[in-house]
Amino acid sequence: VVPLVADRHEVLGVDLHNCDLTDRDAVLAVVTSFEPDVIIHGAAFTAVDRCEVEVETAHRVNCLATRFLADGARRVGAHVVYVSTDYVFDGTKAEPYTEWDQPAPASVYGHTKLGGERELDPGWTIARTSWVCGRHGNNMVKTVLRLADEHDELTFVDDQRGHPTFAGDLAAKLVE
């Protein structure tokens, strides 16, 4: 893992091939050796349907990995910015959720992301996102564009609400 200098900050990007975030010792080694001021924790098991059948994996990735990063952050005095989700709510509210609404997850994914939130210290940052889309990976925008190429008419579920979050915008706000 090689630190990069971005603007005025030294940045250490960590991916699964660099560090298994579900391995406490590996996480603590990376955090305590780099001694960051801020940890932006965006890693998660986000395959919502798979979380329902791979419950242990969802818990290990979304809860325990966050616990290990939080432990490392406490040891070096780092601030944690945790990327969470609107799935911590049950989706029954007629208007948009706010940060003051009580979480009530209705899925394993939502429960495990809320579990990750609960590993954090007061004063750390939780950024709840929804419908993240960008140039890379799968997302709703790419799915709609693909379906529009394949079909003359598109149909959608009408029991879900969301607020698309563009990955570039999210990244800029997380850094800010």
Side-chain angles (χ1 to χ4, degrees):
V1 181
V2 178
L4 303 171
V5 176
D7 290 333
R8 298 174 308 273
H9 305 285
E10 188 174 7
V11 177
L12 178 67
V14 179
D15 206 344
L16 285 176
H17 67 276
N18 302 116
C19 176
D20 177 359
L21 294 178
T22 66
D23 178 337
R24 180 179 179 273
D25 293 337
V27 171
L28 292 178
V30 168
V31 173
T32 58
S33 66
F34 190 67
E35 297 185 359
D37 295 319
V38 176
I39 296 172
I40 299 176
H41 177 27
F45 184 34
T46 61
V48 176
D49 293 335
R50 280 185 48 205
C51 286
E52 294 299 320
V53 293
E54 298 179 38
V55 176
E56 184 178 316
T57 300
H59 182 265
R60 208 170 52 251
V61 173
N62 295 337
C63 297
L64 287 180
T66 304
R67 176 180 294 170
F68 303 153
L69 280 169
D71 184 17
R74 287 181 199 101
R75 292 176 187 216
V76 300
H79 179 88
V80 175
V81 177
Y82 178 68
V83 180
S84 192
T85 176
D86 62 340
Y87 275 82
V88 300
F89 302 113
D90 61 14
T92 60
K93 187 175 175 186
E95 57 273 346
Y97 286 96
T98 70
E99 61 264 37
W100 298 281
D101 289 325
Q102 278 301 112
S107 66
V108 170
Y109 173 63
H111 277 282
T112 60
K113 289 300 287 180
L114 181 59
E117 289 185 12
R118 290 182 172 155
E119 295 294 337
L120 305 178
D121 287 356
W124 288 351
T125 304
I126 298 170
R128 290 184 178 142
T129 63
S130 64
W131 296 11
V132 178
C133 50
R135 179 177 303 188
H136 305 287
N138 296 322
N139 60 67
M140 184 177 180
V141 172
K142 287 182 178 178
T143 299
V144 169
L145 291 173
R146 178 181 51 78
L147 291 172
D149 280 344
E150 297 171 0
H151 304 282
D152 292 333
E153 186 176 316
L154 298 178
T155 59
F156 296 90
V157 298
D158 62 359
D159 64 343
Q160 293 183 18
R161 292 187 182 93
H163 298 89
T165 305
F166 294 98
D169 295 339
L170 175 60
K173 282 299 182 184
L174 294 174
V175 169
E176 183 182 310

